[in-house]
Amino acid sequence: MRLDVYLAAYWPEYSRSRWQRYLAEERVTVNGRTETSP
């Protein structure tokens, strides 16, 4: 499953496109690692 799809399902108040932008801006971390790829 793509990370942006999972995040949008878990936090439905934010759209997939918003999560993709956050990923591109390096604003998402998973297990202490910055993620940039959806």
Side-chain angles (χ1 to χ4, degrees):
M1 174 182 273
R2 290 174 52 115
L3 182 56
D4 59 337
V5 173
Y6 172 80
L7 293 169
Y10 196 78
W11 285 287
E13 61 270 15
Y14 300 109
S15 66
R16 270 187 60 212
S17 61
R18 180 175 289 192
W19 285 114
Q20 289 171 349
R21 186 178 38 189
Y22 287 164
L23 287 162
E25 294 171 355
E26 299 181 358
R27 296 175 63 181
V28 178
T29 59
V30 177
N31 294 329
R33 211 175 99 200
T34 302
E35 294 295 330
T36 58
S37 174

